[in-house]
Amino acid sequence: MSEKIRAQLIMEVLGKPKEYVHEIIEEIKKELEKESDVVLISYNIGQPKEIKDSPGFFTGFLDVEIEIEKIETLLAMTFKYMPAHIDLIYPEKIHFANVEVAELLNF
């Protein structure tokens, strides 16, 4: 696959206290910025908010748009960062040979 891939990922963090949740979100952003195969296009940090049904617990998020060269990078990121949501922005269609799919599945 030669065309670059652009994707949106949303990582959610749940915990307490509020400051710890914010700190973890910032750490995730810094780790993404260090990824050699990832270009961080944009990001938005959702400030931690208290969960109504769980007093004392907070939830926040990091919404990022990234650009990568290989689908394998995105697959690795799903295991490393466990995003709650992934949206492939482009390309609209991705074509793989059966050998490429086998390599992804055996990654």
Side-chain angles (χ1 to χ4, degrees):
M1 169 157 211
S2 60
E3 192 173 5
K4 290 188 179 186
I5 299 167
R6 188 169 287 202
Q8 175 190 20
L9 288 78
I10 300 173
M11 280 73 69
E12 293 182 88
V13 177
L14 169 73
K16 64 180 183 176
K18 180 178 184 177
E19 297 76 21
Y20 178 72
V21 172
H22 182 73
E23 179 183 320
I24 295 300
I25 292 169
E26 288 287 345
E27 285 180 27
I28 293 169
K29 182 183 80 70
K30 288 176 186 172
E31 283 297 313
L32 279 169
E33 290 173 329
K34 290 183 201 174
E35 295 278 352
S36 61
D37 297 343
V38 177
V39 176
L40 184 60
I41 305 295
S42 64
Y43 70 90
N44 178 40
I45 295 176
Q47 296 303 316
K49 294 183 179 172
E50 190 167 22
I51 299 171
K52 289 181 184 178
D53 298 336
S54 301
F57 282 91
F58 295 82
T59 184
F61 67 88
L62 174 63
D63 182 352
V64 298
E65 188 171 323
I66 60 166
E67 191 169 78
I68 54 177
E69 298 273 339
K70 300 182 289 185
I71 196 75
E72 292 92 335
T73 303
L74 185 58
L75 183 61
M77 290 178 69
T78 61
F79 288 108
K80 183 174 181 179
Y81 297 103
M82 297 175 45
H85 176 80
I86 301 172
D87 185 24
L88 293 177
I89 299 169
Y90 69 74
E92 189 174 312
K93 293 184 180 187
I94 300 175
H95 301 281
F96 294 102
N98 61 346
V99 173
E100 293 172 312
V101 174
E103 286 176 2
L104 280 174
L105 295 172
N106 290 303
F107 178 63

